[in-house]
Amino acid sequence: MTLKKCNALLTLIMVAALLCHIGAMAITLATGCFIGGVFWKMMTHIALLCFVLHVVISIIMFFFRHDGRALSYARLNKKMVLQRVTALLLLILIHTHRHAYGFILTGTPLTTGGIIFRLITECLLCGAVMCHIAASFGNAILTLGLVTSEKALARIDKVAYSLCAVLLVAAAGSVIIFFTKGLAV
C-alpha cells in the first residue's frame, strides 16, 4: 500500500472516530449531561493518534514525496487551498482545544475573557474540522479507489459538504450554548 493510500485509510478511520467524539461532546455541551464511558474515550484517543499520524504522513508527502513536482502544485484549486488553510488552523487550534474544558475538572471558574476566548477558538476549531473533512473526504475515497468517476466524486463531495455543514451547526451550536447559557460557569 502506498503512503498516499495509507494516509487516506488513516483519514477515514480518524473521521469515524472524530465523529463519535464530536457527537458525544455536542450532546454533553448542549445538555450538560456527560456522555462518557470507555468507548467514547477510546474514540477520542484513536482520533488523536490518527490526527498525529495523518499530520506526519501529510508533511512527509508534501515536502519529501512530491514525485519531482515543484512545490507550486499544478492542480492548486479552491478545494486544495481550503485543505491547506484548515490544516494550518487545526494545527494551531488543537492545542487550545485540548485544554478548553479542563476548568470543569479543576472547578476553576472562568473569567469573561476566558469564556470569550474558548467560545471563539472552539467555534473556529469546529469550522476548521468540518471544512477540512468536507474538502478531503472525496479525495480519500478517490485515493482508495472506492470511486472512479468524476460524477460520483462530485456527488460524494456535495454530500460531504452538506453533512459537514449540518454537523458544524450542531457542534458550534453546542459550544455556543455551553459557553453562553451559563453551563460553563
Side-chain angles (χ1 to χ4, degrees):
M1 185 179 279
T2 67
L3 194 59
K4 191 172 181 179
K5 284 188 179 186
C6 285
N7 204 26
L9 183 61
L10 186 65
T11 298
L12 295 181
I13 294 168
M14 177 178 52
V15 167
L18 191 59
L19 290 177
C20 290
H21 174 68
I22 291 168
M25 287 306 297
I27 292 168
T28 298
L29 294 177
T31 64
C33 299
F34 180 66
I35 305 293
V38 175
F39 175 76
W40 300 114
K41 196 69 165 167
M42 185 175 66
M43 289 297 109
T44 302
H45 290 295
I46 290 171
L48 185 58
L49 175 65
C50 290
F51 174 79
V52 170
L53 292 173
H54 177 69
V55 167
V56 169
I57 292 171
S58 295
I59 288 171
I60 289 169
M61 286 175 20
F62 186 77
F63 288 108
F64 304 110
R65 304 278 302 224
H66 50 85
D67 301 327
R69 292 187 302 257
L71 288 181
S72 59
Y73 188 55
R75 290 185 54 201
L76 191 64
N77 55 36
K78 290 178 194 173
K79 193 168 153 180
M80 184 164 290
V81 170
L82 182 61
Q83 283 177 306
R84 301 293 191 257
V85 169
T86 55
L88 289 173
L89 272 173
L90 289 171
L91 287 174
I92 295 166
L93 294 172
I94 193 72
H95 300 292
T96 60
H97 176 66
R98 293 195 66 231
H99 304 288
Y101 302 98
F103 68 91
I104 295 170
L105 298 174
T106 63
T108 308
L110 287 177
T111 63
T112 302
I115 290 172
I116 292 169
F117 176 77
R118 283 170 177 82
L119 176 64
I120 291 169
T121 57
E122 289 299 289
C123 286
L124 279 173
L125 178 73
C126 291
V129 167
M130 291 306 151
C131 287
H132 194 76
I133 290 172
S136 305
F137 188 77
N139 291 346
I141 298 290
L142 183 65
T143 298
L144 292 171
L146 300 174
V147 66
T148 54
S149 77
E150 288 292 324
K151 193 173 184 179
L153 181 60
R155 282 192 203 123
I156 288 171
D157 279 344
K158 285 179 185 175
V159 169
Y161 278 101
S162 299
L163 287 175
C164 285
V166 170
L167 290 171
L168 172 58
V169 169
S174 297
V175 168
I176 291 167
I177 289 169
F178 181 76
F179 285 109
T180 60
K181 297 294 183 191
L183 296 175
V185 182

